[in-house]
Amino acid sequence: MAYQHQFRATAYPLRLYSGKDTLENLPAELKRFKSQKAFIVCGRSVSRKTGLIDRIANILGPAYAGRYDEIEKDTTLASVQAAAAAARPANADLLIGVGAGSVIQGTRVVAVLLAEKAPVDQLITQYPEHGAAISPKLLAPKLPIINVLTAATTAQNRAGSAVKDPARPHRMEFFDPKTRPVALFWDEEALLTAPVSLARTTGTSVFWRSLMNLGAPRMAPLSEGDRLQAFRLARGALARMVDPLDAGARVEMCAAAFLQNRDADDGGALTEKHWPARVTYALATALFNLHGHVGQGEANSALTATVIRHFGARDAEAMALIAQAFEITDSRPAHIRAADAVEGAFLQAGMPVKLRELDIPRDSLATVLENSLKNFNADPSREFLHERDVLMAALDAAW
């Protein structure tokens, strides 16, 4: 490993509670922030099909200020605006997000909407016709956030949020470091409320990210341990996601996602991302936002091997490292070895490896392509605008 010595590490205050009955620590966290009105943000299923939200409300006691339980898949603009409208008259002084990626992202956006006075179009990442994307600075103080996970997600302690608006061809992107949570809960009972299908798709996304991160030929010295352990944890837990009673697998997948974020904070974020990771992320995001029944994990698994075959030769060293993680070291080109290894891992986990397995119309691929061209995390410099033909060829081959 060649270490990258030019890096920046950032630490954020956070308390993390993991294990059985950890939600009993919620009152102590509210006391720490002098909160008297905690408002819960969640989705319908966890609120109406499990007893988790009622359990949290009972633990909070008089500090429970109400709930909004209709955050929708992919964090729709209408649902986060409605959540903010519900939290405002409750005089909430702290937000508790209970769920997986969509809810956790949505809770951050609720904090933004409660605090900022500008129109929503001025709060999101801007995409000039020519030039790099621009992320506006959101300066107003934000309510503290506590996140209670029901499934593993890297959204758990980040600052960015993507919101879906059916009237727009691409996601609305919010970013504010002040919306990072002050506390995280990996409560075993809460994690077991998620159905196997949700646990598997979120776990697949965490595993996918761990694979892509292994392709960095140079790492900041602080981030290497986090990166390698995230891969080990995610690889070991993924096959166990099908067991609805294996709380340990779900905690381990949460830990893998957390380590991926810590890797980024410890300098890994400045590592140049290879083309297969960037392209898969952009195409998969456009895909599952266009087709609501497709999960993020399924979108990643259906695209990754084909994208590696099309773009991996541009980053041969990165692809060799990914293949090496699976102990594949034969004489074939590195990107072919990596593609085969990744495809085999997803097949072993029972995940789709072709787009036609996702029950989507083939003629929607052109729309997926266009929507992928505005994704700040994947392509802040707008390089994809010059890659339309290759991107379309990859989508066609992935079918």
Side-chain angles (χ1 to χ4, degrees):
M1 173 58 58
Y3 290 113
Q4 175 176 287
H5 297 142
Q6 187 81 20
F7 67 93
R8 181 188 68 207
T10 307
Y12 298 90
L14 172 75
R15 289 189 181 179
L16 191 156
Y17 298 87
S18 175
K20 187 175 176 58
D21 296 328
T22 57
L23 290 178
E24 299 299 327
N25 294 287
L26 276 170
E29 285 302 302
L30 267 62
K31 183 178 180 181
R32 189 159 69 98
F33 289 92
K34 299 181 174 59
S35 170
Q36 297 181 346
K37 292 182 180 294
F39 189 86
I40 296 174
V41 179
C42 62
R44 295 184 190 93
S45 294
V46 73
S47 177
R48 305 176 193 184
K49 296 181 180 179
T50 79
L52 178 57
I53 303 303
D54 289 338
R55 176 189 169 201
I56 293 173
N58 289 333
I59 291 171
L60 295 175
Y64 171 64
R67 72 185 74 171
Y68 178 85
D69 63 0
E70 297 192 23
I71 294 294
E72 299 173 317
K73 182 182 181 293
D74 299 330
T75 323
T76 63
L77 176 62
S79 66
V80 295
Q81 287 176 323
R88 193 171 286 112
N91 296 315
D93 57 16
L94 182 143
L95 300 174
I96 301 178
V98 184
S102 294
V103 167
I104 300 305
Q105 290 191 96
T107 304
R108 287 198 283 270
V109 179
V110 170
V112 169
L113 297 179
L114 288 172
E116 300 289 344
K117 306 305 180 187
V120 68
D121 281 323
Q122 296 178 23
L123 305 177
I124 60 176
T125 301
Q126 308 295 312
Y127 286 91
E129 189 63 31
H130 303 285
I134 302 168
S135 182
K137 294 185 181 300
L138 309 180
L139 301 179
K142 307 299 185 296
L143 294 182
I145 295 173
I146 292 174
N147 287 331
V148 178
L149 297 195
T150 59
T153 173
T154 54
Q156 61 184 299
N157 63 320
R158 304 308 293 167
S161 298
V163 170
K164 182 177 180 178
D165 179 3
R168 301 168 192 255
H170 60 88
R171 299 186 305 170
M172 305 168 69
E173 297 168 330
F174 294 80
F175 178 80
D176 188 341
K178 297 184 292 303
T179 61
R180 286 182 181 251
V182 297
L184 282 178
F185 284 82
W186 302 340
D187 181 270
E188 290 185 359
E189 184 179 337
L191 288 168
L192 289 177
T193 63
V196 166
S197 58
L198 176 60
R200 192 171 71 160
T201 190
T202 58
T204 299
S205 293
V206 174
F207 175 63
W208 175 84
R209 174 58 65 187
S210 75
L211 281 174
M212 297 299 99
N213 285 349
L214 289 179
R218 286 161 294 283
M219 296 188 203
L222 293 178
S223 66
E224 181 182 12
D226 291 337
R227 189 166 297 186
L228 296 176
Q229 180 65 358
F231 173 69
R232 295 187 190 106
L233 285 170
R235 188 180 185 185
L238 183 61
R240 293 154 56 202
M241 290 290 109
V242 296
D243 185 346
L245 300 179
D246 192 341
R250 300 188 183 203
V251 169
E252 289 161 25
M253 196 64 84
C254 288
F258 182 85
L259 289 175
Q260 289 171 7
N261 289 344
R262 195 168 72 178
D263 162 14
D265 289 341
D266 281 345
L270 297 183
T271 303
E272 184 177 350
K273 295 180 177 64
H274 50 79
W275 274 89
R278 294 171 56 202
V279 171
T280 303
Y281 180 79
L283 293 177
T285 300
L287 177 64
F288 69 73
N289 274 283
L290 180 64
H291 299 292
H293 67 281
V294 177
Q296 183 175 1
E298 286 78 7
N300 284 330
S301 67
L303 282 164
T304 304
T306 301
V307 169
I308 288 176
R309 292 185 180 106
H310 276 71
F311 289 89
R314 303 185 185 193
D315 295 284
E317 187 176 3
M319 298 304 101
L321 288 168
I322 290 174
Q324 182 180 320
F326 292 94
E327 300 179 350
I328 299 177
T329 56
D330 57 57
S331 60
R332 291 176 298 159
H335 67 288
I336 301 301
R337 286 184 279 129
D340 288 351
V342 169
E343 188 170 74
F346 285 134
L347 285 170
Q348 185 176 15
M351 298 299 291
V353 294
K354 288 293 183 181
L355 293 176
R356 60 177 173 269
E357 300 175 60
L358 302 180
D359 190 26
I360 62 173
R362 186 165 189 170
D363 60 11
S364 71
L365 298 186
T367 303
V368 169
L369 170 62
E370 290 305 314
N371 292 354
S372 73
L373 300 178
K374 291 186 177 181
N375 187 309
F376 182 82
N377 288 331
D379 188 32
S381 300
R382 312 298 304 281
E383 293 178 275
F384 290 180
L385 290 173
H386 309 294
E387 300 282 349
R388 274 192 171 90
D389 291 344
V390 188
L391 290 166
M392 195 66 230
L395 281 171
D396 283 334
W399 184 260

